[in-house]
Amino acid sequence: MKTKAFHLVSLGCAKNTVDSDSMAQLLINDGYHLTETPAQAKVLIVNTCGFIGPAREESLRVLQELAAEKRPGQILVAAGCLTQRYGSEVVKQVPGIDGILGTRRWMDIVDLVQRLRKGKHPEPVYHLPDAPTVGSDEAGALRVSIQGASAYIKIADGCRRPCAFCAIPLIKGTAVSRPVNVILDEARTLRDMGMHEIILIAQDTTDYGHDLGMKDGLAQLLEQLAKVVPEVDWLRILYAYPGYVTDRLIDVMASTPNIVPYLDMPLQHAHPEMLRRMRRPANIDWVYKTLEKMRRAMPDLALRTTFIVGYPGETEQEFQVLLDFVREVQFDRLGAFQFSFEPGTTSEPLGDPIPADVKQERWQRLMELQQGISLQKNQSLVGKTLSVLVEGQGRVENNGAASVSPEKLTLGRSYRDAPEIDGMVLIEGELPVGEMVPVRITGAMAYDLTGVVDTARTVISLDRRQAP
Ligand code: SF4
């Protein structure tokens, strides 16, 4: 065990990944080094997720495994959303935790570790100061997370939306935007590090700047980013909130070469009554009109959304309306969750009446419908050439329509794929990780594409404004 080594497990969403990387930066600035081997670390940290039931179970399991393997002298810190929400409950379920750090004070990780290293602590040390929101985010650590030639920038944290099923506002507090100039500086740093892609994340990116006196803050931020880092091929936004994708935002996306025509807008349902019960924007006409406007402005737009099935009171008829909506809109990417009962949220009094097997059956029907839609959309790309960001080498059993020998295979993403949640492009041959290459699509699977390097084209010539 090395006295200045730490091991960090990051769970949950990309926003949590940024917090993990920022905590790691602060520890490294304090002379620590990261180790992948828990046994070698003096400090073990789990940045937990507390969003929904399955995520909580995973966080507890990882903590219990590390606690069971803990050696004398090692320190175990539980951080993140689960601890922010359930503090002492977590300790009850995981004996062996030495320190508890809430997600709102991730920047205090070095102080907490120093306290834990000083003297004996018969009881776990709690660091859950009563912070109304996520603290000032500028704690001497970049608020970014880098994976290869792609990076997330967290532009805000917390949320002020009233969604009945969601615990995020309970965990993180209201939405706090980060200063524009700091985000622009981080983007310059990432450009200088050779990033091809910068992904803007928050709980609700379309709410960016509301607390900075900005109108259409996200559109303004994107305009400035595109000017500051024109060399970055892909600027991508995730987590847009229905009702806040404005005409100005659409114009900026459509007219700016390096903003990818990709929008992730969780809708959660499509039946107005159900949306009202979820306390979500229920104006479905707005959704139709806005998607139509976006597709007119960006014919190659890739649309992603997320739905919840099995919310209390959901009838078969309401679920059918959701299926019909998905069949009609034809999303490129779709994620679905089964309703998770969340104590403390406004949906709590409704309980969890929809039986688990009914939720599962509805989830299955929705994903099967989307699988067919996704395959058709992928098939329409066969023969076209796309820019692909190379992310690694791999092997795949070609049980799809693929015509690729598994020997030399490269994995990458096109502008239609956000990391970790969308599909991949499987390319014949071995290509350098971090490169952007023109790939002619030769085959389609339900979620992934296959292809070969298009030697007749260059990435530049593939500027996304030109029809592929
Ligand atoms: S927009 Fe709604 S679902 Fe998303 S984080 Fe905020 S409260 Fe939760």
Side-chain angles (χ1 to χ4, degrees), residues 60-314:
L60 288 170
R61 196 175 52 252
V62 171
L63 280 165
Q64 281 153 352
E65 282 159 11
L66 281 175
E69 302 292 318
K70 212 175 89 176
R71 300 171 173 211
Q74 280 190 310
I75 292 168
L76 176 58
V77 174
C81 294
L82 183 71
T83 51
Q84 182 76 47
R85 194 172 174 195
Y86 294 107
S88 57
E89 284 307 307
V90 179
V91 171
K92 284 196 200 115
Q93 300 198 41
V94 188
I97 288 179
D98 302 292
I100 288 275
L101 180 67
T103 188
R104 298 186 192 184
R105 297 304 303 175
W106 59 270
M107 63 289 289
D108 300 343
I109 183 69
V110 173
D111 301 348
L112 178 60
V113 168
Q114 281 167 353
R115 262 173 75 194
L116 290 168
R117 295 188 70 136
K118 281 200 203 94
K120 290 237 165 303
H121 302 276
E123 293 301 318
V125 173
Y126 286 82
H127 190 72
L128 290 168
D130 190 15
T133 66
V134 177
S136 138
D137 229 356
E138 314 321 320
L142 293 179
R143 302 298 280 133
V144 305
S145 179
I146 297 170
Q147 273 100 36
S150 172
Y152 294 108
I153 296 185
K154 188 186 271 197
I155 63 172
D157 209 345
C159 189
R160 61 181 178 140
R161 307 298 182 197
C163 311
F165 50 81
C166 183
I168 297 285
L170 298 173
I171 298 171
K172 296 257 181 181
T174 191
V176 179
S177 304
R178 302 182 59 226
V180 173
N181 60 329
V182 176
I183 296 169
L184 297 180
D185 284 346
E186 287 176 346
R188 289 188 188 94
T189 304
L190 293 170
R191 178 225 24 228
D192 299 345
M193 293 167 76
M195 292 303 120
H196 280 292
E197 178 181 41
I198 291 177
I199 308 168
L200 306 186
I201 57 172
Q203 265 76 35
D204 170 5
T205 50
T206 42
D207 201 26
Y208 178 77
H210 78 279
D211 52 337
L212 303 175
M214 298 169 76
K215 186 172 174 322
D216 253 320
L218 180 59
Q220 290 189 47
L221 177 64
L222 281 168
E223 279 169 336
Q224 295 192 48
L225 273 170
K227 287 200 191 91
V228 162
V229 289
E231 312 84 346
V232 173
D233 300 270
W234 293 344
L235 296 175
R236 187 187 300 272
I237 51 176
L238 296 180
Y239 312 110
Y241 190 77
Y244 291 79
V245 177
T246 61
D247 291 352
R248 180 169 177 188
L249 179 59
I250 296 172
D251 291 347
V252 170
M253 289 180 73
S255 61
T256 312
N258 64 340
I259 298 176
V260 287
Y262 175 100
L263 186 78
D264 163 47
M265 182 168 66
L267 291 169
Q268 308 303 3
H269 212 283
H271 190 290
E273 251 330 291
M274 168 58 79
L275 286 164
R276 268 185 279 280
R277 295 205 303 274
M278 285 177 161
R279 301 199 183 186
R280 291 280 300 182
N283 182 347
I284 285 295
D285 288 345
W286 176 91
V287 175
Y288 279 113
K289 288 200 184 79
T290 302
L291 298 186
E292 203 188 308
K293 239 187 259 175
M294 292 191 80
R295 283 176 165 161
R296 224 182 8 255
M298 295 170 273
D300 50 358
L301 177 74
L303 262 179
R304 177 183 178 83
T305 193
T306 307
F307 293 112
I308 292 176
V309 299
Y311 186 81
E314 185 187 51

Side-chain angles (χ1 to χ4, degrees), residues 306-375:
T306 307
F307 293 112
I308 292 176
V309 299
Y311 186 81
E314 185 187 51
T315 62
E316 176 55 30
Q317 185 269 339
E318 288 170 337
F319 179 66
Q320 204 53 43
V321 166
L322 174 58
L323 291 180
D324 296 345
F325 175 77
V326 168
R327 203 173 282 112
E328 192 181 338
V329 172
Q330 301 273 302
F331 292 96
D332 299 81
R333 310 293 187 195
L334 184 153
F337 291 94
Q338 298 180 26
F339 171 72
S340 170
F341 174 75
E342 294 305 322
T345 61
T346 44
S347 70
E348 181 177 4
L350 304 174
D352 191 3
I354 307 273
D357 60 343
V358 174
K359 286 186 200 172
Q360 177 60 29
E361 184 253 350
R362 287 180 182 170
W363 182 87
Q364 196 72 38
R365 285 160 64 193
L366 178 56
M367 294 314 286
E368 274 165 16
L369 170 62
Q370 178 58 24
Q371 198 173 34
I373 292 168
S374 179
L375 177 59

Side-chain angles (χ1 to χ4, degrees), residues 412-431:
R413 287 182 294 113
S414 77
Y415 78 85
R416 303 175 70 254
D417 309 308
E420 301 161 87
I421 53 176
D422 293 330
M424 301 289 288
V425 182
L426 316 176
I427 314 158
E428 276 187 26
E430 204 158 356
L431 301 164

